[in-house]
Amino acid sequence: MSEWWTYRPEDFLLFSPRVYWRLFELHNAALWPLHVVTLAVGLFIMLLIARRSAVWTRWVPLTLAVLWIFVGWSFLWNRYATINWAASYIAPTFIFEGALLLIASATNALSFDERRPADGIGYLMLGFALVGLPLLAPLQGRGWASSEVFGIAPDPTVMATLGVLLIVRGWPVPWLLPIPMLWCLLSGMTLQTMEEPQAWAPYAAVALASAAWLWRMVRPARK
């Protein structure tokens, strides 16, 4: 029997890259054309943030809450768990994050009325989650069928949420950040173990979110 320190991360991987990306193909095929709706919702969120209207503020966390719960149930619980037993334990954290976002919406605890120098990073992450991440599949030769789409797959949904949380202010923000950050780290490690080139995306999301949050703490907001 080999000693435990002789094992490599790939020795613990329960699936091959082909099986992993096939999961997204099946998921996309089952939910199409819901992708059109979720992308429209993402653009709607960007519009609401850009307008910074207090009347519509609570709709942003409410919409994200629904999507987190949906992705946790439809992808993590019903699909990912079939090839990775750990997903059945991760899915409840998505439900929990959705519940936190629902509380933020119900209490109208988030606002967009202040502008910060780090807001640009939030918009960049939000835009990449909506447009850039789905393009990685065809750019890497996998075709559109395995694209990761906002509101359908975890990574773009999580990255978009991180982008929003870098723009908003309010007491729930520190409570809403840990789960998205941890998911990006876990996703990055999974992709890196599979030697997938797009592992940089979730890692970059964590790095940018951390840098923007620190910048936000030391630099004052401006009207």
Side-chain angles (χ1 to χ4, degrees):
M1 180 177 177
S2 301
E3 301 294 345
W4 63 268
W5 57 79
T6 64
Y7 287 95
R8 298 172 299 176
E10 52 266 32
D11 294 326
F12 298 94
L13 196 64
L14 303 175
F15 44 84
S16 66
R18 183 185 65 81
V19 171
Y20 181 76
W21 296 120
R22 176 61 176 165
L23 202 69
F24 286 95
E25 292 179 9
L26 294 173
H27 191 57
N28 286 332
L31 294 181
W32 177 261
L34 186 59
H35 305 63
V36 178
V37 176
T38 58
L39 285 174
V41 167
L43 294 175
F44 179 64
I45 288 175
M46 289 194 73
L47 177 63
L48 292 182
I49 295 174
R51 294 189 61 184
R52 297 178 181 266
S53 171
V55 177
W56 295 93
T57 297
R58 69 175 66 231
W59 283 93
V60 174
L62 175 61
T63 303
L64 290 173
V66 172
L67 295 178
W68 270 78
I69 294 171
F70 176 71
V71 170
W73 169 77
S74 65
F75 183 81
L76 293 177
W77 184 265
N78 286 326
R79 292 200 182 272
Y80 198 20
T82 62
I83 64 171
N84 184 359
W85 59 267
S88 60
Y89 295 95
I90 300 172
T93 68
F94 270 60
I95 309 301
F96 182 67
E97 181 76 7
L100 292 178
L101 287 163
L102 284 174
I103 293 173
S105 175
T107 58
N108 203 21
L110 300 179
S111 64
F112 303 88
D113 58 342
E114 293 181 354
R115 299 183 184 275
R116 300 176 176 85
D119 282 3
I121 297 179
Y123 283 111
L124 176 65
M125 291 179 62
L126 184 54
F128 176 77
L130 295 178
V131 180
L133 198 56
L135 291 175
L136 293 183
L139 288 176
Q140 294 175 174
R142 298 197 313 269
W144 288 100
S146 63
S147 290
E148 297 171 88
V149 178
F150 171 75
I152 304 294
D155 278 12
T157 306
V158 172
M159 291 182 197
T161 302
L162 277 177
V164 171
L165 293 177
L166 294 179
I167 301 171
V168 301
R169 67 178 180 89
W171 65 264
V173 174
W175 299 93
L176 292 167
L177 279 171
I179 291 177
M181 296 281 276
L182 288 173
W183 170 263
C184 284
L185 286 174
L186 178 60
S187 177
M189 287 187 291
T190 300
L191 292 168
Q192 183 180 6
T193 302
M194 293 192 299
E195 299 182 348
E196 289 291 329
Q198 76 177 61
W200 65 267
Y203 282 149
V206 173
L208 287 173
S210 300
W213 183 255
L214 289 174
W215 181 270
R216 176 172 168 174
M217 293 296 98
V218 300
R219 293 294 296 269
R222 55 187 172 86
K223 296 292 184 179

